[in-house]
Amino acid sequence: MRIGDPTPRRMGDLSQSGCKKAVLLKPPVTRRELIIGAAAVPAAAALGGGVAAARARVPFGAAANHHVLPTDQPYRAALARHCDVLVAESCMKWEIIRARRETYDYTHADALVAFAKTNALAVRGHTLVWCEANPDWVKTLATAREADHELSRHIERTVSRYRGTITSWDVVNEPIAEKPLSDKDLRPGQWPTLLGPRYIDTAFKLAASVDPTGQRVLNEYGIEGTSARDRLKRAAFRRLILDLKDRGVAINAVGLQAHLDGAIDVDVDGIAKFCAEMASLGLAVLVTELDVNDMMLPANHAERDALVAKRTRDFLGAVFAGCRPDLVCTWGLTDRYTWVPTYFKRRDGDKNRPLPLDADLKPKPMLDAIQHFCRGA
Ligand code: XIL
């Protein structure tokens, strides 16, 4: 792709596995140049970490909120200005697309894709299977045959609808138990209940059969911190990934959600090691849902923003020490629209500030922290 080419970028073009020949860029680096540069870095740069990896250019993305996208003009402009990639925060989940069993509603998903195309942004899909955010009728599925049927037609229809546009999907979201008791503990839910753990294999197989060149991500949260829970979850995630790879399941990427906690340290060594191992297995690594829970952080905005940026730096420093990620994506772009207060409202009543732009769409230190890594400063 040439600079100025209006063709929307495809995540598959950006993946380590499908890298393109080198393009040398001169500063200043624009958003468009940034992403083209990302495609130019060979997979080998992902290994070994350190300075070389930190110099690679990596695309930046954010989850977009379909409720406000059609109407909030400044928000649209901010997404177009700051992002290379958009991911659907909710509108590609089963509860939206499959609110009714017999019909498929892609209205919001199509609108998001159209907005991205107009602004030459790539789009990631989130998510093909998850034990959450399902319509109630999914609970009425009674047999493995029924579950297989619904899963198959959903994945086939959805992946093929956006084939060529969405080339990176979170195929399975959050497969590990919320608080695992062992490294074998998978998340319970309707899909594993009816299909057993093979629901994961099935989803990857279907996604690969519809779009063999796509990036297929296994996405997980709660693996970044130093708590015993996070370490065990990471071990369970790792074990599942190794098992899928051993059995030839068509996984080619892993997603670290990275809903970080301002009050809990990042396990820097553990994350660097994990990322290096994933890269050595030939898997792309994506940061898929970065934000920082600021519930327990100080009230003063400057102080709080600095701590949020520090936590971001700690985490991205660990990731980039282990590999060159394919993407750094935040879960929302602006504090104006964030899911964080749903679970982590501050006791002082002040609004949460977990994202790179504040509620007035002004950049915060978190954005600098991300750019430092994405631009390889
Ligand atoms: C969240 C959205 O941000 C909310 O708007 C929605 O109500 C619930 O889901 N991990 C995920 C995302 O993979 O899909 C979740 O998104 C946040 C946690």
Side-chain angles (χ1 to χ4, degrees):
M1 187 189 294
R2 285 177 299 108
I3 293 170
D5 182 344
T7 310
R9 293 173 293 262
R10 299 164 33 120
M11 283 299 297
D13 293 344
L14 311 175
S15 73
Q16 291 169 3
S17 42
C19 44
K20 300 218 166 150
K21 66 179 163 38
V23 178
L24 290 176
L25 302 172
K26 288 185 201 140
V29 179
T30 63
R31 178 171 65 75
R32 188 181 299 271
E33 287 169 329
L34 189 67
I35 199 155
I36 294 165
V41 180
L47 304 173
V51 177
R55 280 199 188 123
R57 294 180 177 85
V58 170
F60 168 67
N65 179 322
H66 73 274
H67 299 289
V68 293
L69 188 65
T71 50
D72 187 337
Q73 204 52 51
Y75 172 63
R76 290 163 72 89
L79 288 172
R81 171 165 179 217
H82 291 285
C83 298
D84 307 300
V85 180
L86 297 184
V87 60
E89 181 171 354
S90 298
C91 66
M92 293 184 190
K93 291 174 181 166
W94 277 64
E95 64 185 356
I96 305 280
I97 292 177
R98 303 295 305 283
R100 290 169 195 207
R101 185 165 177 178
E102 290 315 319
T103 55
Y104 291 74
D105 184 353
Y106 293 104
T107 317
H108 297 297
D110 286 352
L112 179 69
V113 167
F115 170 78
K117 274 191 179 163
T118 305
N119 292 285
L121 308 177
V123 186
R124 295 199 65 242
H126 174 84
T127 172
L128 295 174
V129 194
W130 190 16
C131 292
E132 296 289 321
N134 293 309
D136 282 346
W137 64 260
V138 166
K139 288 193 208 112
T140 68
L141 297 174
T143 62
R145 202 155 163 261
E146 270 187 283
D148 246 336
H149 174 69
E150 290 303 340
L151 200 57
S152 311
R153 64 190 196 126
H154 180 86
I155 293 180
E156 276 158 12
R157 197 183 280 224
T158 305
V159 175
S160 61
R161 183 180 188 88
Y162 297 111
R163 189 172 37 208
T165 301
I166 297 182
T167 54
S168 174
W169 274 99
D170 290 334
V171 175
V172 178
N173 197 33
E174 302 183 352
I176 307 299
E178 193 188 345
K179 290 182 185 152
L181 301 173
S182 81
D183 67 0
K184 294 192 192 99
D185 230 356
L186 297 184
R187 189 179 184 122
Q190 190 68 345
W191 303 116
T193 299
L194 293 175
L195 298 172
R198 78 171 173 86
Y199 87 96
I200 298 172
D201 304 31
T202 303
F204 276 98
K205 194 171 156 196
L206 286 165
S209 71
V210 181
D211 187 1
T213 62
Q215 184 176 70
R216 294 173 295 276
V217 181
L218 187 71
N219 197 36
E220 190 52 271
Y221 82 103
I223 58 171
E224 301 87 3
T226 46
S227 68
R229 192 280 311 239
D230 278 26
R231 289 196 162 126
L232 187 52
K233 248 189 120 151
R234 193 184 325 131
F237 190 40
R238 175 180 178 272
R239 188 188 173 110
L240 174 61
I241 293 161
L242 294 182
D243 176 52
L244 294 173
K245 285 282 288 174
D246 274 357
R247 291 188 296 106
V249 175
I251 174 177
N252 57 17
V254 297
L256 281 65
Q257 289 191 6
H259 294 291
L260 307 180
D261 190 322
I264 298 176
D265 284 341
V266 168
D267 182 355
V268 172
D269 290 345
I271 288 297
K273 207 170 139 211
F274 176 85
C275 291
E277 184 179 14
M278 295 301 119
S280 75
L281 292 169
L283 296 167
V285 175
L286 288 78
V287 175
T288 51
E289 306 187 14
L290 174 64
D291 56 15
V292 182
N293 166 9
D294 64 334
M295 183 172 128
M296 304 303 281
L297 298 185
N300 177 277
H301 285 184
E303 223 178 306
R304 203 191 313 168
D305 293 349
L307 289 169
V308 164
K310 182 193 176 307
R311 189 63 83 226
T312 301
R313 270 196 307 278
D314 292 347
F315 173 70
L316 292 180
V319 171
F320 279 74
C323 71
R324 185 191 77 88
D326 262 33
L327 172 72
V328 173
C329 183
T330 48
W331 204 241
L333 180 64
T334 155
D335 298 336
R336 189 182 288 190
Y337 307 119
T338 161
W339 78 301
V340 167
T342 320
Y343 296 100
F344 308 110
K345 256 200 183 80
R346 288 179 60 85
R347 291 203 190 100
D348 62 10
D350 196 20
K351 293 232 163 72
N352 296 87
R353 301 173 65 84
L355 288 168
L357 306 186
D358 71 12
D360 296 323
L361 305 171
K362 293 208 184 72
K364 293 166 29 191
M366 184 184 185
L367 186 66
D368 297 333
I370 293 168
Q371 285 175 347
H372 170 83
F373 288 96
C374 287
R375 291 185 180 172

